[in-house]
Amino acid sequence: MPSLNIHRNDTVKVLTGSDRGKTGRVLRVFPDKGTVLVEHVRVVKKTVSSKQGQRTKGGIAEQESPINVSNVMLVCPNCGPVRVGFKVEGDHKVRVCKKCGQTMPTKVK
Ligand SMILES: [Zn+2]
């Protein structure tokens, strides 16, 4: 499976589209598609019907649409939006800011 350098709960900045310049939290990643769902970014109004297993009732719902990972940049707490590098730490690969070298926290539980 291809892995993305953007993880769930990361803070990212949007680089393109009508939401350009916005920062938001990553709600979901779709590694096979190379897309991410970012909170409050590319929100579309959707008519939803009540389906089983869904919390929402029928009606109009606002929902984020996935955007390509190449259109977002990870935000470093020190530097802002940055390119991300990788470094091997012990048994696993960690992400580091290419500007300040700080390890990017992975907030996935
Ligand atoms: Zn940095």
Side-chain angles (χ1 to χ4, degrees), residues 7 13 24 26 28 30 47 70-71 83 90 93 97 106 109:
H7 298 167
K13 182 164 185 158
V26 176
R28 277 188 79 176
F30 304 94
T47 311
S70 61
N71 294 335
R83 287 184 186 281
K93 214 162 72 162
C97 169
T106 303
K109 282 176 190 168

Side-chain angles (χ1 to χ4, degrees), residues 76-80 82 97-102 104:
C76 168
N78 301 325
C79 321
V82 289
C97 169
K98 279 204 172 172
K99 244 186 204 170
C100 67
Q102 186 184 302
M104 293 291 191

Side-chain angles (χ1 to χ4, degrees), residues 23-108:
T23 52
R25 191 167 59 89
V26 176
L27 301 175
R28 277 188 79 176
V29 290
F30 304 94
D32 49 335
K33 288 184 188 144
T35 57
V36 291
L37 206 62
V38 184
E39 195 173 32
H40 305 313
V41 168
R42 200 174 283 183
V43 175
V44 289
K45 286 196 168 68
K46 267 191 171 179
T47 311
V48 290
S49 51
S50 17
K51 285 183 210 155
Q52 58 175 42
Q54 287 200 341
R55 284 173 293 136
T56 49
K57 289 178 196 160
I60 306 286
E62 292 198 341
Q63 201 181 48
E64 288 89 355
S65 319
I67 57 174
N68 199 283
V69 281
S70 61
N71 294 335
V72 299
M73 234 177 183
L74 192 62
V75 174
C76 168
N78 301 325
C79 321
V82 289
R83 287 184 186 281
V84 179
F86 290 99
K87 165 173 98 165
V88 177
E89 218 169 57
D91 288 339
H92 46 260
K93 214 162 72 162
V94 294
R95 299 174 302 166
V96 292
C97 169
K98 279 204 172 172
K99 244 186 204 170
C100 67
Q102 186 184 302
T103 305
M104 293 291 191
T106 303
K107 290 170 240 164
V108 180

